[in-house]
Amino acid sequence: MKQLVDKLERRRTLSKEEFVYLIENRTAELDEYLFEKARAVRHRYYGHDIYIRGLIEFTNYCKNDCYYCGIRKSNISAVRYRLTKEQILSCCKNGYDLGFRTFVLQGGEDGYYTDDKMVDIIASIKSQYPDCAVTLSIGEKSKESYQAYFNAGADRYLLRHETANHSHYAKLHPASLSIDNRKQCLYNLKEIGYEVGCGFMVGSPFQKPECIAEDMQFMNELQPQMVGIGPFIPHHETPFADEKCGTIELTLFLLGLIRLMLPSVLLPATTALGTIHPMGREKGILAGANVVMPNLSPVEVRKNYLLYDNKICTGDEAAECRFCMQRRMESIGYHVVVDRGDFKSAK
Ligand code: 5AD
Ligand code: FES
């Protein structure tokens, strides 16, 4: 087992069978061995610095119907909202004053925000905050749209691939969505020059160790600058309402493996991880993550951006989360820094 971890660190990849073996035979002892190595690797690139990203959930309208997601279009109980450009800019102002230098615009796939509208929003943020990075997380678009946002100043794009396995993808999504298009989007984004993030849910329904092994190999092929993973958590108004949550143990283990495979990747300890365990984000950092993404959305809309049940921080002001996060990171010997937190190329 330890030899496989050593091999991953050395060769930066493993065969599918080797990944499956690691996932199926994980032990608490191996966890410690892995996490220590993962921390050493992250310290080499990022020291004890933690990058913060200000998450602005600007629309919960979505034309898609992913079976796991609380803002899927079939959820008629979701209270829908959209933020205006002025509201988004006011979130950025608040965030800037709190030391954020990256803003993440995340939303459902909402046709209301045409390319022209997005370009205007992105260009306005970049002109008011030229020292900040803008990250988009608004789903699958044409290459031309991605190019237009990039030209307007967007720096990074998050698009989780969700699962690299064909039949698993089809069990999580209606037939209108395909993993082939998803991957094509990720390659298009990379080609345009974005820093790109992919990722997946841990413990999503029907996920087998083989699926995760394929996720690892796909990420190794794509070589993303960012990877977002977090446990699957059911939402009561979705077809997966009665499915089980992903576990914290497997999520932490995979964070460690990803840190060894992609040594300088920007790796968040996600809100979902903080939702399934009160110390989830701290544990994520200690397993190799180096980013956290506190929420900058206006408190009035937060409780409406629910991808899963029991989401944390939905009643807290941005400033509360910002300082809460600082205290949490200090408590484990890490420091939140005021920095764009760009990707550092692997040595
Ligand atoms: N549990 C955990 N994560 C979820 N996401 C969507 N729904 C859920 C859920 N029920 C994740 C998806 C998506 C990201 C924005 O949130 O991976 O890409
Ligand atoms: Fe939001 Fe702690 S991070 S309250």
Side-chain angles (χ1 to χ4, degrees):
M1 295 288 280
K2 288 186 179 166
Q3 292 90 299
L4 277 183
V5 169
D6 294 344
K7 186 171 171 189
L8 177 61
E9 184 180 24
R10 224 174 31 246
R11 306 247 319 265
R12 296 191 182 167
T13 191
L14 292 175
S15 70
K16 189 171 166 186
E17 293 68 31
E18 288 169 324
F19 276 126
V20 168
Y21 185 83
L22 274 176
I23 294 162
E24 285 181 334
N25 296 283
R26 218 193 71 237
T27 60
E29 191 200 344
L30 186 67
D31 280 353
E32 276 325 302
Y33 184 75
L34 170 65
F35 298 160
E36 200 169 310
K37 277 189 180 289
R39 287 195 295 270
V41 170
R42 60 144 300 165
H43 294 158
R44 213 161 62 222
Y45 294 95
Y46 299 106
H48 285 66
D49 289 355
I50 299 293
Y51 295 142
I52 51 174
R53 318 299 195 194
L55 186 62
I56 304 173
E57 299 152 334
F58 71 100
T59 171
N60 69 350
Y61 282 83
C62 191
K63 67 171 191 214
N64 292 331
D65 222 11
C66 308
Y67 303 145
Y68 46 82
C69 184
I71 64 168
R72 63 200 302 267
K73 74 163 180 230
S74 295
N75 181 7
I76 53 168
S77 316
V79 178
R80 306 284 171 172
Y81 72 89
R82 296 187 171 109
L83 299 186
T84 63
K85 176 176 143 188
E86 289 65 38
Q87 285 176 302
I88 295 172
L89 285 166
S90 126
C91 293
C92 295
K93 159 94 176 75
N94 192 10
Y96 193 89
D97 294 342
L98 291 169
F100 288 91
R101 295 296 177 268
T102 292
F103 302 117
V104 182
L105 298 181
Q106 183 173 93
E109 293 198 13
D110 180 1
Y112 170 85
Y113 295 91
T114 57
D115 287 354
D116 285 350
K117 284 205 180 77
M118 285 313 301
V119 161
D120 181 37
I121 293 168
I122 296 159
S124 303
I125 298 175
K126 291 296 283 197
S127 81
Q128 291 192 26
Y129 305 101
D131 55 336
C132 292
V134 168
T135 304
L136 300 178
S137 178
I138 54 175
E140 298 180 18
K141 308 275 176 185
S142 67
K143 188 165 186 194
E144 292 68 37
S145 298
Y146 288 151
Q147 184 71 58
Y149 312 148
F150 188 77
N151 295 348
D155 303 273
R156 311 188 186 128
Y157 205 104
L158 303 176
L159 184 73
R160 290 192 180 177
H161 64 282
E162 310 299 357
T163 173
N165 178 279
H166 266 95
S167 68
H168 187 216
Y169 198 93
K171 292 189 168 122
L172 301 181
H173 304 95
S176 54
L177 295 170
S178 81
I179 181 61
D180 294 334
N181 191 56
R182 197 95 179 157
K183 288 184 176 175
Q184 188 57 54
C185 285
L186 284 162
Y187 284 108
N188 288 346
L189 288 161
K190 236 190 156 195
E191 213 173 283
I192 290 169
Y194 284 93
E195 285 185 15
V196 169
C198 63
F200 59 95
M201 292 177 289
V202 178
S204 59
F206 313 107
Q207 185 182 57
K208 301 276 173 300
E210 287 74 17
C211 300
I212 301 175
E214 287 176 40
D215 289 324
M216 295 298 288
Q217 294 197 315
F218 168 66
M219 294 192 293
N220 189 55
E221 180 192 305
L222 178 68
Q223 290 288 315
Q225 286 81 17
M226 307 170 280
V227 169
I229 67 163
F232 161 76
I233 305 171
H235 183 289
H236 63 285
E237 295 278 3
T238 63
F240 292 162
D242 298 325
E243 300 289 337
K244 287 201 304 283
C245 275
T247 66
I248 185 163
E249 290 80 11
L250 184 55
T251 307
L252 296 174
F253 187 70
L254 294 175
L255 284 171
L257 293 184
I258 292 167
R259 172 60 67 202
L260 294 193
M261 183 173 80
L262 303 168
S264 66
V265 76
L266 295 163
L267 190 62
T270 56
T271 305
L273 190 55
T275 296
I276 59 163
H277 190 287
M279 298 279 281
R281 288 164 297 179
E282 291 87 331
K283 288 172 182 282
I285 299 298
L286 293 171
N290 69 325
V291 172
V292 288
M293 300 174 69
N295 205 310
L296 283 183
S297 310
V299 180
E300 315 84 77
V301 303
R302 282 199 199 188
K303 58 182 181 320
N304 298 326
Y305 198 88
L306 298 179
L307 309 184
Y308 47 81
D309 290 339
N310 305 317
K311 186 181 174 196
I312 52 170
C313 302
T314 54
D316 301 291
E317 291 288 348
E320 295 178 63
C321 288
R322 165 68 176 81
F323 294 111
C324 171
M325 202 56 86
Q326 181 159 339
R327 281 193 305 274
R328 286 172 180 273
M329 295 301 118
E330 298 283 342
S331 78
I332 52 169
Y334 289 78
H335 320 288
V336 167
V337 292
V338 177
D339 195 298
R340 276 173 51 117
D342 284 304
F343 175 75
K344 298 182 178 166
S345 292
K347 292 166 205 154

